[in-house]
Amino acid sequence: MAIEWHDLLGFTGVLLILAVYLLLQMQRLQATGWLYSALNGAGAMLVIVSLTQEFNFSAFVLEIAWLLISLYGLKAWWDRRKVVPSG
């Protein structure tokens, strides 16, 4: 079995998502921080790109959901940082 460029992208995306989750569990990242959502979204995008070459519907749905949740997390972080505490 030959490993193609899209396999490497997908594998990199999976490793990124798993590494970010491990860092969260090790309390090295905060789930509410921008980096957690950004890295998760980047990992999902890499897997989605790999799926354009060898499509798998269930994996595609999972990664689209992962990406949308990551985008939601980034927007929530952005909205929180714009709030100025009164007092």
Side-chain angles (χ1 to χ4, degrees):
M1 178 179 126
I3 296 180
E4 303 287 334
W5 65 269
H6 55 87
D7 296 319
L8 291 174
L9 279 183
F11 185 67
T12 301
V14 168
L15 285 179
L16 186 56
I17 291 169
L18 291 174
V20 169
Y21 186 58
L22 176 61
L23 290 172
L24 176 70
Q25 295 304 316
M26 295 171 65
Q27 298 181 353
R28 300 280 176 99
L29 277 179
Q30 292 182 349
T32 56
W34 72 271
L35 188 58
Y36 178 76
S37 293
L39 292 175
N40 267 308
M45 282 298 298
L46 290 172
V47 175
I48 289 168
V49 170
S50 77
L51 289 172
T52 65
Q53 301 301 306
E54 291 186 33
F55 190 73
N56 177 312
F57 184 70
S58 58
F60 181 74
V61 169
L62 176 65
E63 294 308 321
I64 290 294
W66 205 262
L67 178 60
L68 291 174
I69 292 167
S70 296
L71 291 173
Y72 173 83
L74 283 170
K75 183 183 180 322
W77 171 82
W78 183 260
D79 290 345
R80 281 191 307 273
R81 75 179 267 288
K82 290 193 302 186
V83 173
V84 178
S86 59

Coordinates of all heavy atoms in Angstrom, one line a residue:
M1 N 0.8 -1.2 0.0 CA 0.0 0.0 0.0 C 0.9 1.2 0.0 O 1.7 1.4 0.9 CB -0.9 0.0 1.2 CG -1.8 1.2 1.4 SD -2.8 1.1 2.8 CE -2.4 2.6 3.6
A2 N 0.7 2.1 -1.0 CA 1.5 3.3 -1.1 C 0.8 4.4 -0.3 O -0.5 4.6 -0.4 CB 1.6 3.7 -2.5
I3 N 1.5 5.2 0.4 CA 1.0 6.3 1.2 C 1.0 7.5 0.3 O 2.1 7.9 -0.2 CB 1.7 6.5 2.5 CG1 1.6 5.3 3.4 CG2 1.3 7.8 3.2 CD1 2.2 5.4 4.7
E4 N -0.1 8.1 0.1 CA -0.3 9.3 -0.8 C -0.2 10.6 0.0 O -0.4 10.5 1.3 CB -1.6 9.2 -1.6 CG -1.7 8.0 -2.4 CD -0.9 8.0 -3.6 OE1 -0.5 9.1 -4.1 OE2 -0.5 6.9 -4.1
W5 N -0.2 11.7 -0.6 CA -0.1 13.0 0.0 C -1.4 13.2 0.9 O -1.3 13.7 2.0 CB 0.0 14.2 -1.0 CG -1.1 14.3 -1.9 CD1 -1.3 13.7 -3.1 CD2 -2.3 15.1 -1.6 NE1 -2.5 14.1 -3.6 CE2 -3.2 14.9 -2.7 CE3 -2.7 15.9 -0.6 CZ2 -4.4 15.6 -2.9 CZ3 -4.0 16.5 -0.7 CH2 -4.8 16.4 -1.8
H6 N -2.5 12.8 0.4 CA -3.8 13.0 1.2 C -3.8 12.1 2.4 O -4.4 12.5 3.5 CB -5.0 12.7 0.3 CG -5.0 11.4 -0.4 ND1 -5.6 10.3 0.2 CD2 -4.6 11.1 -1.6 CE1 -5.5 9.3 -0.6 NE2 -4.9 9.7 -1.7
D7 N -3.1 10.9 2.4 CA -3.0 10.1 3.6 C -2.2 10.8 4.6 O -2.5 10.8 5.8 CB -2.4 8.7 3.2 CG -3.2 7.9 2.3 OD1 -4.4 7.9 2.4 OD2 -2.6 7.3 1.4
L8 N -1.1 11.4 4.2 CA -0.3 12.1 5.2 C -1.0 13.3 5.8 O -0.9 13.6 7.0 CB 1.0 12.6 4.5 CG 2.0 11.5 4.1 CD1 3.2 12.1 3.3 CD2 2.5 10.8 5.3
L9 N -1.8 14.0 5.0 CA -2.6 15.2 5.5 C -3.6 14.7 6.5 O -3.7 15.2 7.6 CB -3.3 15.9 4.4 CG -2.5 16.9 3.6 CD1 -3.4 17.6 2.6 CD2 -1.9 17.9 4.5
G10 N -4.3 13.6 6.2 CA -5.3 13.1 7.1 C -4.7 12.6 8.4 O -5.2 12.8 9.5
F11 N -3.5 11.9 8.3 CA -2.8 11.3 9.4 C -2.4 12.5 10.3 O -2.5 12.4 11.5 CB -1.7 10.5 9.0 CG -1.0 9.8 10.1 CD1 -1.6 8.8 10.9 CD2 0.3 10.1 10.4 CE1 -1.0 8.2 11.9 CE2 1.0 9.5 11.5 CZ 0.3 8.6 12.2
T12 N -1.8 13.5 9.7 CA -1.4 14.7 10.4 C -2.6 15.4 11.2 O -2.5 15.8 12.3 CB -0.7 15.7 9.5 OG1 0.4 15.1 8.8 CG2 -0.3 17.0 10.2
G13 N -3.7 15.5 10.5 CA -4.9 16.0 11.1 C -5.4 15.2 12.3 O -5.7 15.7 13.4
V14 N -5.3 13.9 12.2 CA -5.7 13.0 13.3 C -4.8 13.2 14.5 O -5.2 13.3 15.6 CB -5.8 11.5 12.8 CG1 -5.9 10.6 14.0 CG2 -7.0 11.3 11.9
L15 N -3.5 13.2 14.2 CA -2.5 13.4 15.2 C -2.6 14.7 15.9 O -2.5 14.8 17.2 CB -1.0 13.3 14.7 CG -0.5 11.9 14.3 CD1 0.9 12.0 13.8 CD2 -0.6 11.0 15.5
L16 N -3.0 15.7 15.2 CA -3.2 17.1 15.7 C -4.4 17.1 16.7 O -4.3 17.5 17.8 CB -3.4 18.1 14.6 CG -3.4 19.6 15.0 CD1 -2.2 20.0 15.8 CD2 -3.6 20.4 13.8
I17 N -5.5 16.5 16.3 CA -6.7 16.4 17.1 C -6.4 15.6 18.4 O -6.8 16.1 19.5 CB -7.8 15.8 16.3 CG1 -8.3 16.8 15.2 CG2 -9.0 15.5 17.2 CD1 -9.3 16.2 14.2
L18 N -5.7 14.5 18.2 CA -5.4 13.7 19.4 C -4.4 14.4 20.4 O -4.6 14.3 21.6 CB -4.9 12.3 19.0 CG -5.9 11.4 18.3 CD1 -5.2 10.1 17.8 CD2 -7.0 11.1 19.2
A19 N -3.4 15.0 19.8 CA -2.4 15.7 20.6 C -3.1 16.9 21.4 O -2.8 17.1 22.6 CB -1.3 16.3 19.8
V20 N -4.0 17.6 20.8 CA -4.7 18.7 21.4 C -5.6 18.1 22.6 O -5.6 18.7 23.7 CB -5.5 19.5 20.4 CG1 -6.5 20.5 21.1 CG2 -4.6 20.3 19.5
Y21 N -6.2 17.0 22.3 CA -7.1 16.4 23.4 C -6.2 15.9 24.5 O -6.6 16.1 25.7 CB -7.9 15.3 22.8 CG -8.9 14.7 23.7 CD1 -9.9 15.5 24.3 CD2 -8.8 13.3 24.1 CE1 -10.8 15.0 25.2 CE2 -9.7 12.8 25.0 CZ -10.7 13.6 25.5 OH -11.6 13.1 26.4
L22 N -5.0 15.4 24.2 CA -4.1 14.9 25.3 C -3.7 16.1 26.1 O -3.6 16.1 27.3 CB -2.9 14.2 24.7 CG -1.8 13.8 25.7 CD1 -2.4 12.8 26.7 CD2 -0.6 13.2 24.9
L23 N -3.3 17.2 25.4 CA -2.9 18.4 26.1 C -4.0 19.0 27.0 O -3.7 19.5 28.1 CB -2.4 19.5 25.1 CG -1.1 19.2 24.4 CD1 -0.8 20.2 23.3 CD2 0.1 19.1 25.4
L24 N -5.2 18.9 26.5 CA -6.3 19.3 27.4 C -6.4 18.5 28.6 O -6.6 19.0 29.7 CB -7.6 19.2 26.5 CG -8.9 19.6 27.3 CD1 -9.0 21.1 27.6 CD2 -10.1 19.1 26.5
Q25 N -6.3 17.1 28.4 CA -6.4 16.2 29.6 C -5.3 16.4 30.6 O -5.4 16.2 31.8 CB -6.5 14.8 29.1 CG -7.7 14.5 28.3 CD -9.0 14.8 29.1 OE1 -9.1 14.5 30.3 NE2 -9.9 15.4 28.4
M26 N -4.1 16.8 30.0 CA -2.9 17.1 30.9 C -2.9 18.5 31.5 O -2.0 18.9 32.2 CB -1.7 16.9 30.1 CG -1.5 15.5 29.6 SD -0.1 15.3 28.4 CE 1.3 15.8 29.4
Q27 N -4.0 19.2 31.2 CA -4.2 20.6 31.7 C -3.1 21.5 31.2 O -2.7 22.5 31.8 CB -4.3 20.6 33.2 CG -5.5 19.9 33.6 CD -5.7 19.9 35.1 OE1 -4.9 20.4 35.9 NE2 -6.9 19.4 35.6
R28 N -2.6 21.3 29.9 CA -1.7 22.2 29.3 C -2.3 23.2 28.4 O -1.7 24.1 27.9 CB -0.7 21.3 28.5 CG 0.1 20.3 29.3 CD 1.3 21.1 30.0 NE 2.0 20.1 30.9 CZ 3.1 19.6 30.6 NH1 3.7 19.8 29.4 NH2 3.7 18.8 31.4
L29 N -3.6 22.9 28.0 CA -4.4 23.8 27.2 C -5.8 24.0 27.9 O -6.2 23.1 28.7 CB -4.7 23.2 25.8 CG -3.7 23.3 24.7 CD1 -4.2 22.6 23.5 CD2 -3.4 24.7 24.4
Q30 N -6.4 25.1 27.7 CA -7.7 25.4 28.3 C -8.7 25.2 27.1 O -8.5 25.7 26.0 CB -7.8 26.8 28.8 CG -6.9 27.1 30.0 CD -7.1 28.5 30.5 OE1 -7.7 29.3 29.9 NE2 -6.6 28.7 31.7
A31 N -9.8 24.5 27.4 CA -10.8 24.3 26.5 C -11.5 25.6 26.0 O -12.0 25.6 24.9 CB -11.9 23.3 27.0
T32 N -11.4 26.6 26.8 CA -12.1 27.9 26.5 C -11.1 28.8 25.7 O -11.5 29.9 25.4 CB -12.6 28.6 27.7 OG1 -11.5 28.7 28.6 CG2 -13.7 27.8 28.3
G33 N -9.8 28.4 25.6 CA -8.9 29.3 24.9 C -9.0 29.1 23.4 O -9.5 28.1 22.8
W34 N -8.4 30.1 22.7 CA -8.5 30.1 21.2 C -7.7 29.0 20.6 O -8.0 28.4 19.6 CB -8.1 31.5 20.7 CG -6.6 31.7 20.8 CD1 -6.0 32.3 21.8 CD2 -5.6 31.4 19.8 NE1 -4.6 32.4 21.6 CE2 -4.4 31.8 20.4 CE3 -5.6 30.8 18.6 CZ2 -3.2 31.6 19.7 CZ3 -4.4 30.6 17.9 CH2 -3.2 31.0 18.4
L35 N -6.5 28.7 21.2 CA -5.6 27.7 20.6 C -6.2 26.3 20.5 O -6.1 25.6 19.6 CB -4.3 27.7 21.5 CG -3.2 26.8 20.9 CD1 -2.8 27.3 19.5 CD2 -2.0 26.9 21.8
Y36 N -7.0 25.9 21.6 CA -7.7 24.6 21.6 C -8.6 24.5 20.4 O -8.5 23.5 19.6 CB -8.4 24.4 22.9 CG -9.2 23.1 23.0 CD1 -8.5 21.9 23.2 CD2 -10.6 23.1 22.8 CE1 -9.2 20.7 23.3 CE2 -11.3 21.9 22.9 CZ -10.6 20.7 23.1 OH -11.3 19.6 23.2
S37 N -9.4 25.5 20.2 CA -10.4 25.4 19.1 C -9.7 25.6 17.7 O -10.0 24.9 16.7 CB -11.4 26.6 19.2 OG -12.2 26.3 20.3
A38 N -8.7 26.4 17.6 CA -8.0 26.6 16.4 C -7.3 25.3 15.9 O -7.3 24.9 14.8 CB -7.0 27.8 16.5
L39 N -6.6 24.7 16.9 CA -5.9 23.4 16.5 C -6.8 22.3 16.2 O -6.6 21.5 15.3 CB -4.9 23.0 17.6 CG -3.7 24.0 17.9 CD1 -2.9 23.5 19.1 CD2 -2.8 24.0 16.6
N40 N -7.9 22.2 16.9 CA -8.9 21.2 16.5 C -9.5 21.5 15.2 O -9.7 20.6 14.4 CB -10.1 21.2 17.6 CG -9.9 20.2 18.7 OD1 -9.6 19.1 18.4 ND2 -9.9 20.7 19.9
G41 N -9.8 22.7 14.9 CA -10.3 23.1 13.5 C -9.3 22.8 12.4 O -9.7 22.3 11.4
A42 N -8.0 23.1 12.7 CA -7.0 22.8 11.7 C -6.9 21.3 11.5 O -6.8 20.8 10.3 CB -5.7 23.4 12.2
G43 N -6.9 20.5 12.5 CA -6.9 19.1 12.4 C -8.1 18.5 11.6 O -7.9 17.7 10.7
A44 N -9.3 19.1 11.8 CA -10.5 18.7 11.1 C -10.3 19.0 9.6 O -10.7 18.2 8.7 CB -11.7 19.3 11.7
M45 N -9.8 20.2 9.3 CA -9.6 20.6 7.9 C -8.7 19.7 7.2 O -8.9 19.4 6.0 CB -9.1 22.1 7.9 CG -10.2 23.1 8.1 SD -11.5 23.1 6.9 CE -10.6 23.5 5.4
L46 N -7.6 19.3 7.9 CA -6.6 18.4 7.2 C -7.3 17.1 6.9 O -7.1 16.5 5.8 CB -5.4 18.2 8.1 CG -4.5 19.4 8.2 CD1 -3.4 19.1 9.3 CD2 -3.8 19.7 6.9
V47 N -8.1 16.6 7.8 CA -8.8 15.3 7.5 C -9.8 15.5 6.4 O -9.9 14.6 5.5 CB -9.5 14.7 8.8 CG1 -10.3 13.5 8.5 CG2 -8.4 14.4 9.9
I48 N -10.5 16.6 6.4 CA -11.5 16.9 5.3 C -10.8 16.9 4.0 O -11.3 16.4 3.0 CB -12.3 18.2 5.6 CG1 -13.2 18.0 6.8 CG2 -13.0 18.6 4.4 CD1 -13.8 19.3 7.4
V49 N -9.7 17.6 3.9 CA -8.9 17.6 2.6 C -8.5 16.2 2.2 O -8.7 15.9 1.0 CB -7.7 18.5 2.7 CG1 -6.8 18.4 1.5 CG2 -8.1 20.0 2.9
S50 N -8.1 15.4 3.1 CA -7.7 14.0 2.8 C -9.0 13.2 2.3 O -8.8 12.4 1.4 CB -7.1 13.3 4.0 OG -8.1 12.9 4.9
L51 N -10.1 13.6 2.8 CA -11.4 12.9 2.4 C -11.8 13.3 1.0 O -12.6 12.6 0.4 CB -12.5 13.1 3.4 CG -12.3 12.4 4.7 CD1 -13.4 12.9 5.7 CD2 -12.3 10.9 4.6
T52 N -11.3 14.3 0.4 CA -11.6 14.7 -1.0 C -11.0 13.7 -1.9 O -11.5 13.6 -3.1 CB -11.1 16.1 -1.3 OG1 -9.7 16.2 -1.3 CG2 -11.7 17.2 -0.4
Q53 N -10.0 13.0 -1.5 CA -9.4 12.0 -2.4 C -9.9 10.6 -2.2 O -10.0 9.8 -3.2 CB -7.9 12.0 -2.2 CG -7.2 13.3 -2.4 CD -7.4 13.8 -3.8 OE1 -7.1 13.1 -4.8 NE2 -8.0 15.0 -4.0
E54 N -10.3 10.2 -1.0 CA -10.9 8.9 -0.7 C -12.0 9.2 0.3 O -11.9 9.2 1.5 CB -9.8 8.0 -0.1 CG -8.8 7.6 -1.1 CD -7.8 6.5 -0.5 OE1 -8.3 5.7 0.4 OE2 -6.6 6.6 -0.8
F55 N -13.2 9.4 -0.3 CA -14.3 9.9 0.4 C -14.9 8.7 1.3 O -15.0 7.6 0.9 CB -15.4 10.4 -0.5 CG -16.6 11.0 0.2 CD1 -16.4 12.3 0.7 CD2 -17.8 10.4 0.4 CE1 -17.4 12.9 1.4 CE2 -18.8 11.1 1.0 CZ -18.6 12.3 1.5
N56 N -15.3 9.1 2.5 CA -15.9 8.3 3.5 C -17.0 9.2 4.2 O -16.6 10.1 4.9 CB -14.9 7.7 4.5 CG -15.6 6.9 5.6 OD1 -16.6 7.3 6.2 ND2 -15.0 5.7 5.8
F57 N -18.2 8.9 3.9 CA -19.3 9.8 4.3 C -19.4 9.9 5.9 O -19.5 11.1 6.3 CB -20.7 9.2 3.8 CG -21.8 10.2 4.2 CD1 -21.9 11.4 3.5 CD2 -22.7 9.8 5.2 CE1 -23.0 12.3 3.9 CE2 -23.8 10.7 5.5 CZ -23.9 11.9 4.8
S58 N -19.2 8.9 6.6 CA -19.3 9.0 8.1 C -18.2 9.8 8.6 O -18.3 10.7 9.5 CB -19.4 7.7 8.8 OG -18.3 6.9 8.4
A59 N -17.0 9.6 8.1 CA -15.8 10.4 8.5 C -16.0 11.9 8.1 O -15.6 12.8 8.9 CB -14.5 9.8 7.9
F60 N -16.5 12.1 6.9 CA -16.8 13.5 6.5 C -17.8 14.2 7.4 O -17.5 15.3 7.8 CB -17.3 13.4 5.0 CG -17.6 14.8 4.5 CD1 -16.5 15.6 4.1 CD2 -18.9 15.3 4.3 CE1 -16.7 16.9 3.5 CE2 -19.1 16.5 3.8 CZ -18.0 17.3 3.4
V61 N -18.9 13.5 7.8 CA -19.8 14.1 8.7 C -19.2 14.5 10.0 O -19.4 15.5 10.6 CB -21.1 13.2 8.8 CG1 -22.0 13.7 10.0 CG2 -21.8 13.1 7.5
L62 N -18.4 13.5 10.5 CA -17.7 13.7 11.8 C -16.8 14.9 11.7 O -16.8 15.8 12.6 CB -16.9 12.5 12.2 CG -16.1 12.6 13.5 CD1 -17.0 12.8 14.7 CD2 -15.2 11.4 13.6
E63 N -16.0 15.0 10.7 CA -15.0 16.1 10.6 C -15.7 17.5 10.3 O -15.2 18.5 10.8 CB -14.0 15.8 9.5 CG -13.1 14.6 9.9 CD -12.5 14.7 11.2 OE1 -12.1 15.8 11.7 OE2 -12.4 13.7 11.9
I64 N -16.8 17.5 9.6 CA -17.5 18.8 9.4 C -18.1 19.2 10.7 O -18.0 20.4 11.1 CB -18.7 18.6 8.4 CG1 -18.1 18.4 7.0 CG2 -19.7 19.7 8.4 CD1 -17.4 19.6 6.4
A65 N -18.7 18.3 11.5 CA -19.2 18.6 12.9 C -18.0 19.1 13.7 O -18.2 20.1 14.4 CB -19.8 17.4 13.5
W66 N -16.9 18.5 13.7 CA -15.7 18.9 14.5 C -15.3 20.3 14.1 O -15.0 21.1 15.0 CB -14.6 17.9 14.2 CG -13.6 17.8 15.3 CD1 -12.4 18.4 15.4 CD2 -13.7 17.0 16.5 NE1 -11.7 18.0 16.6 CE2 -12.5 17.2 17.3 CE3 -14.7 16.2 17.1 CZ2 -12.3 16.6 18.5 CZ3 -14.5 15.6 18.3 CH2 -13.3 15.8 19.0
L67 N -15.3 20.5 12.8 CA -14.9 21.9 12.3 C -15.9 22.9 12.8 O -15.5 24.0 13.3 CB -14.7 21.9 10.8 CG -14.4 23.2 10.2 CD1 -13.1 23.7 10.7 CD2 -14.4 23.1 8.6
L68 N -17.2 22.7 12.6 CA -18.2 23.6 13.0 C -18.1 23.9 14.5 O -18.3 25.1 15.0 CB -19.6 23.1 12.6 CG -19.8 23.1 11.1 CD1 -21.2 22.5 10.8 CD2 -19.7 24.5 10.5
I69 N -17.9 22.9 15.3 CA -17.8 23.1 16.8 C -16.6 23.9 17.1 O -16.6 24.8 18.0 CB -17.8 21.7 17.5 CG1 -19.2 21.0 17.4 CG2 -17.4 21.9 19.0 CD1 -19.2 19.6 17.8
S70 N -15.5 23.7 16.4 CA -14.3 24.4 16.6 C -14.5 25.9 16.2 O -14.0 26.8 16.9 CB -13.1 23.9 15.8 OG -12.8 22.6 16.2
L71 N -15.2 26.1 15.1 CA -15.5 27.5 14.7 C -16.4 28.2 15.8 O -16.2 29.4 16.1 CB -16.1 27.5 13.4 CG -15.2 27.2 12.2 CD1 -16.0 27.1 10.9 CD2 -14.1 28.1 12.1
Y72 N -17.3 27.5 16.3 CA -18.2 28.0 17.4 C -17.3 28.4 18.6 O -17.5 29.4 19.2 CB -19.2 27.0 17.8 CG -20.0 27.4 19.0 CD1 -21.1 28.3 18.9 CD2 -19.7 26.9 20.3 CE1 -21.8 28.7 20.0 CE2 -20.4 27.4 21.4 CZ -21.5 28.2 21.2 OH -22.2 28.6 22.3
G73 N -16.4 27.5 18.9 CA -15.5 27.8 20.1 C -14.6 29.0 19.8 O -14.4 29.8 20.7
L74 N -14.1 29.2 18.6 CA -13.4 30.4 18.3 C -14.2 31.6 18.4 O -13.8 32.7 18.9 CB -12.8 30.3 16.9 CG -11.5 29.4 16.8 CD1 -11.2 29.2 15.3 CD2 -10.4 30.0 17.5
K75 N -15.5 31.6 17.9 CA -16.4 32.7 18.0 C -16.7 33.0 19.5 O -16.7 34.2 19.9 CB -17.7 32.5 17.2 CG -18.6 33.7 17.3 CD -19.9 33.5 16.6 CE -20.8 34.7 16.6 NZ -20.8 35.5 17.8
A76 N -16.9 32.0 20.3 CA -17.2 32.2 21.7 C -16.0 32.9 22.4 O -16.2 33.8 23.2 CB -17.6 30.9 22.4
W77 N -14.8 32.4 22.0 CA -13.6 33.0 22.6 C -13.5 34.5 22.2 O -13.2 35.4 23.0 CB -12.4 32.3 22.2 CG -11.1 33.0 22.5 CD1 -10.5 33.0 23.8 CD2 -10.3 33.9 21.7 NE1 -9.4 33.8 23.7 CE2 -9.3 34.4 22.5 CE3 -10.5 34.3 20.4 CZ2 -8.3 35.2 22.0 CZ3 -9.5 35.2 19.9 CH2 -8.5 35.6 20.7
W78 N -13.8 34.8 20.9 CA -13.7 36.1 20.4 C -14.7 37.0 21.1 O -14.4 38.2 21.5 CB -14.0 36.1 18.9 CG -13.8 37.5 18.3 CD1 -14.9 38.3 18.0 CD2 -12.6 38.2 17.9 NE1 -14.4 39.5 17.4 CE2 -13.0 39.4 17.4 CE3 -11.3 37.9 18.0 CZ2 -12.0 40.3 16.9 CZ3 -10.3 38.8 17.6 CH2 -10.7 40.0 17.0
D79 N -15.9 36.5 21.3 CA -17.0 37.3 22.0 C -16.6 37.6 23.4 O -16.9 38.6 24.0 CB -18.3 36.6 21.9 CG -18.9 36.6 20.5 OD1 -18.4 37.3 19.6 OD2 -19.8 35.8 20.2
R80 N -16.0 36.6 24.1 CA -15.6 36.8 25.5 C -14.5 37.8 25.7 O -14.5 38.6 26.6 CB -15.1 35.4 26.1 CG -16.2 34.5 26.5 CD -15.7 33.3 27.3 NE -14.6 32.6 26.7 CZ -14.7 31.6 25.8 NH1 -15.9 31.2 25.5 NH2 -13.6 31.0 25.3
R81 N -13.6 37.9 24.7 CA -12.5 38.8 24.9 C -12.9 40.2 24.6 O -12.3 41.2 25.0 CB -11.3 38.4 24.0 CG -11.5 38.6 22.5 CD -10.2 38.2 21.8 NE -9.2 39.3 21.6 CZ -9.4 40.3 20.8 NH1 -10.4 40.4 20.0 NH2 -8.4 41.2 20.6
K82 N -14.1 40.4 23.9 CA -14.6 41.8 23.6 C -15.3 42.4 24.8 O -15.6 43.5 24.8 CB -15.5 41.8 22.4 CG -14.7 41.5 21.1 CD -15.5 41.8 19.9 CE -16.8 41.0 19.8 NZ -17.5 41.2 18.5
V83 N -15.7 41.5 25.8 CA -16.4 42.0 26.9 C -15.5 42.7 27.9 O -14.4 42.1 28.3 CB -17.1 40.8 27.7 CG1 -17.7 41.3 29.0 CG2 -18.1 40.1 26.8
V84 N -15.8 43.9 28.2 CA -15.0 44.7 29.1 C -15.6 44.7 30.5 O -16.8 45.1 30.6 CB -14.8 46.2 28.6 CG1 -14.0 47.0 29.5 CG2 -14.3 46.2 27.2
P85 N -14.9 44.2 31.5 CA -15.5 44.2 32.8 C -15.8 45.6 33.3 O -15.0 46.5 33.2 CB -14.4 43.4 33.7 CG -13.2 43.2 32.8 CD -13.5 43.7 31.4
S86 N -16.9 45.7 34.0 CA -17.3 47.1 34.5 C -16.7 47.1 36.0 O -16.6 46.1 36.6 CB -18.8 47.3 34.5 OG -19.4 46.2 35.3
G87 N -16.5 48.3 36.4 CA -16.1 48.4 37.8 C -14.9 49.3 37.9 O -14.0 49.6 38.4

